[in-house]
Amino acid sequence: MHYLPSIIFFLFGQSVVGGVPKFKEDASKFMEVGFNKGRTGTRLAEIAVKFRPNQMFEEGEDLDVEEDLVLEVKSGDGCWTKVDESPVRRGKDKQMWRVKVVPCKKHFVRLGLKKDGCVEYFQYPESVGPASAEEIANSHFRPSIPEDVAITPLTSDSVVVSWTPSSCAESYELFYESHGGDDSGNMTVSAGFGSVTVRGLKNCTDYTMYVTAMVGDEFSDAGDADFTTCQTSDDIPEIMTAMQTDDASNTCKQIHKECEIIKPTTIEEDQNLGNVTEATFEMKSDPEARIGTANSSSKLVLGSFWMVMMLIAC
């Protein structure tokens, strides 16, 4: 009868571990990721992430999608960003996230499975985008407003204009007008210029400068800044040029603590116990490199442990 407690203990250990959801190795087969296709065409400013939670997880019968899953998106060399919205149902067993993006960048998607104190990630193997310039122009994508418009006086009749670039912009339209309405002008510059010099202004006159981003036939709201040409030569400051942020130089903050990766290794035993699987733990240190993989070994590790306990009890 002393066998019975050991067997019950062994089965209980197996059942507890077996109930923990984890990503299947072929989880990507149950995901569809791409620019969202609507009735009127492809929406290049939106990514659709469709998935089948009942099929992409092992032991996932009790999975609560809204509570247990997180979606994160990374654009270009930027940081992973958590999507706050919840997915919506699409049919009996399919759910979908819609994520706003800029079409001229490459986007990466990963799903996170919340566990005790950490999150296990599964990154979709294919990226989305960038769309071509022609596709963006034909999609009626409206660029964002140029921000941080800055005016630096150069001489009594010229200034340097700079701004923060708008994503996907093909060109910028600059328009200036004096407050008295007696002087105005405009120019168009291609995307990629960090600053533009405007000459031929009236001396000691107040102006407003407007900067608009253009993509095909679409245009943004105008960013604006007031300035004056009333300045002596002794007061001319250093010219400052707006620079586009280099996402690669940013230090990304970790959104969630990522789970340890369990790497199974086989060790030899001399006590006729056969091969016993030993769990070794590896913690990835680079936040950008830590991509969770399906943990298929935990059940085997603890199962072997309970088997050993049963044999010892015998």
Side-chain angles (χ1 to χ4, degrees), residues 14 18 50 74 126 130 136-137 139 182 201 204 228 264 282 300 313:
Q14 287 284 65
K50 303 175 184 179
K74 183 172 74 168
E126 298 179 6
I136 296 173
S139 69
D182 56 347
L201 302 170
C204 202
T228 182
E282 174 188 5
L300 176 61

Side-chain angles (χ1 to χ4, degrees), residues 6-310:
S6 299
I7 294 175
I8 294 175
F9 192 45
F10 168 73
L11 294 176
F12 175 75
Q14 287 284 65
S15 63
V16 170
V17 177
V20 178
K22 56 182 177 240
F23 288 104
K24 291 183 178 179
E25 293 184 0
D26 60 348
S28 60
K29 292 183 179 180
F30 308 103
M31 295 179 65
E32 301 174 32
V33 181
F35 288 122
N36 193 15
K37 295 182 179 179
R39 295 179 179 179
T40 59
T42 302
R43 301 169 184 171
L44 297 181
E46 189 176 77
I47 286 180
V49 180
K50 303 175 184 179
F51 64 104
R52 300 180 185 273
N54 294 334
Q55 300 181 42
M56 67 184 304
F57 296 97
E58 296 180 5
E59 310 293 347
E61 294 82 2
D62 299 327
L63 184 72
D64 187 328
V65 172
E66 293 191 9
E67 294 295 328
D68 299 335
L69 292 183
V70 293
L71 176 69
E72 296 178 12
V73 176
K74 183 172 74 168
S75 298
D77 294 326
C79 301
W80 288 104
T81 302
K82 180 179 178 293
V83 177
D84 294 325
E85 293 76 12
S86 299
V88 294
R89 288 190 174 274
R90 283 293 180 266
K92 182 179 179 180
D93 62 346
K94 182 184 292 186
Q95 300 201 33
M96 179 177 73
W97 269 286
R98 291 192 182 99
V99 186
K100 297 294 183 183
V101 296
V102 292
C104 56
K105 290 187 177 182
K106 180 183 292 187
H107 306 281
F108 304 89
V109 171
R110 69 181 183 181
L111 274 179
L113 177 61
K114 295 180 182 178
K115 296 189 175 182
D116 293 336
C118 65
V119 173
E120 178 188 359
Y121 286 105
F122 179 85
Q123 182 172 341
Y124 189 72
E126 298 179 6
S127 60
V128 180
S132 66
E134 182 179 0
E135 289 173 331
I136 296 173
N138 293 334
S139 69
H140 303 292
F141 169 77
R142 190 182 185 195
S144 60
I145 182 174
E147 298 180 342
D148 304 320
V149 177
I151 312 295
T152 303
L154 192 60
T155 66
S156 60
D157 67 348
S158 63
V159 296
V160 174
V161 186
S162 61
W163 61 91
T164 300
S166 176
S167 296
C168 307
E170 294 179 329
S171 61
Y172 296 92
E173 181 81 14
L174 278 66
F175 173 78
Y176 63 87
E177 184 177 25
S178 65
H179 292 180
D182 56 347
D183 188 28
S184 64
N186 67 288
M187 66 176 65
T188 301
V189 296
S190 300
F193 286 89
S195 62
V196 174
T197 300
V198 179
R199 304 183 186 277
L201 302 170
K202 286 192 171 184
N203 185 26
C204 202
T205 303
D206 295 330
Y207 289 89
T208 299
M209 177 69 68
Y210 303 91
V211 182
T212 303
M214 309 287 292
V215 176
D217 295 330
E218 301 295 327
F219 54 90
S220 69
D221 292 332
D224 61 80
D226 293 330
F227 67 98
T228 182
T229 55
C230 296
Q231 185 166 339
T232 64
S233 58
D234 295 336
D235 298 329
I236 296 177
E238 180 182 359
I239 298 174
M240 301 298 292
T241 300
M243 301 297 291
Q244 188 167 9
T245 302
D246 183 7
D247 291 336
S249 64
N250 292 340
T251 301
C252 296
K253 294 182 178 180
Q254 188 175 352
I255 301 175
H256 300 285
K257 178 183 178 182
E258 299 185 35
C259 297
E260 294 177 328
I261 308 298
I262 298 180
K263 182 187 297 183
T265 58
T266 302
I267 60 174
E268 296 293 334
E269 294 287 345
D270 296 329
Q271 300 178 354
N272 298 323
L273 294 179
N275 291 333
V276 179
T277 301
E278 176 188 41
T280 60
F281 297 91
E282 174 188 5
M283 175 63 80
K284 301 283 187 177
S285 59
D286 181 1
E288 289 304 309
R290 283 182 285 175
I291 305 301
T293 57
N295 182 358
S296 61
S297 62
S298 57
K299 185 173 182 179
L300 176 61
V301 172
L302 291 184
S304 300
F305 173 76
W306 300 126
M307 182 65 75
V308 173
M309 294 294 295
M310 183 181 71

